[in-house]
Amino acid sequence: MSEQLSKQQIYDRIKATSKDSYILEEMQRLGFWQSGSEPTLSEILIKQEAKVEKELNELLAQDRKFSNREAMILEMRKARMKIAKEKRAETKLNQEKKRLEKAENWKLLQQQQILYLGETVSKGLNVKETNSQILEKYNLPVF
């Protein structure tokens, strides 16, 4: 990080951790603070303080969010609407999948069986019972 940071970038880094943590990082980067294999007590304390401060800031932000009732209700509604949209999209995909499967099964059935040949012919296509007298009349075998 030999490049010069802008003021806003420095503020963002301080906001992300803490002022002391930022100063420690800069001192180590510039060589004023030798970082050995084993961290010193002050380094440990600074890092611990940065961690606690970050957690405190998150909790304060959450408290501010929940203290405003209208904002909380709006956020809950947005979350419910998002879940409903996802569920609706999933249902739509499932229905489309079922429709395609049904169409595929219908095509397969049409290839395997004769389903319709017209009003007069198809009426008796799926009849399993045979009338042996009619078959004998036309000299056809009885199965």
Side-chain angles (χ1 to χ4, degrees):
M1 283 205 333
S2 61
E3 63 199 45
Q4 197 69 14
L5 296 176
S6 69
K7 279 187 177 183
Q8 187 60 44
Q9 290 172 325
I10 292 172
Y11 290 140
D12 291 341
R13 283 185 59 194
I14 290 172
K15 192 174 182 181
T17 58
S18 71
K19 183 178 178 182
D20 291 334
S21 177
Y22 173 74
I23 291 172
L24 177 65
E25 289 173 8
E26 284 298 303
M27 288 178 71
Q28 287 175 343
R29 184 180 69 85
L30 295 172
F32 294 113
W33 189 293
Q34 297 300 321
S35 178
S37 62
E38 211 170 294
T40 62
L41 181 61
S42 54
E43 284 180 294
I44 294 171
L45 289 175
I46 289 172
K47 288 180 181 178
Q48 190 70 18
E49 180 187 5
K51 180 181 172 187
V52 169
E53 195 170 319
K54 183 178 180 183
E55 191 174 321
L56 177 65
N57 287 337
E58 288 173 1
L59 290 172
L60 287 172
Q62 192 176 23
D63 183 50
R64 280 190 300 270
K65 183 175 71 174
F66 290 134
S67 65
N68 186 353
R69 182 182 170 142
E70 289 79 24
M72 185 176 67
I73 290 172
L74 182 65
E75 186 175 323
M76 289 171 57
R77 285 181 181 156
K78 283 183 181 179
R80 274 197 317 247
M81 287 177 68
K82 182 181 176 187
I83 291 170
K85 281 183 181 181
E86 290 171 356
K87 191 173 181 181
R88 208 173 13 230
E90 184 180 332
T91 302
K92 190 174 183 179
L93 286 175
N94 287 341
Q95 288 176 346
E96 182 67 18
K97 184 179 175 184
K98 285 180 184 178
R99 187 187 66 77
L100 290 174
E101 286 177 5
K102 189 176 178 181
E104 188 177 315
N105 288 340
W106 176 250
K107 282 185 179 182
L108 188 63
L109 188 64
Q110 284 178 325
Q111 290 173 357
Q112 293 175 350
Q113 297 178 14
I114 300 172
L115 299 173
Y116 187 76
L117 293 174
E119 187 66 35
T120 57
V121 178
S122 293
K123 191 189 303 184
L125 269 180
N126 292 324
V127 176
K128 303 281 189 234
E129 301 169 3
T130 59
N131 192 340
S132 58
Q133 293 175 351
I134 296 174
L135 291 174
E136 289 175 3
K137 178 180 171 185
Y138 292 108
N139 293 327
L140 296 171
V142 177
F143 291 103

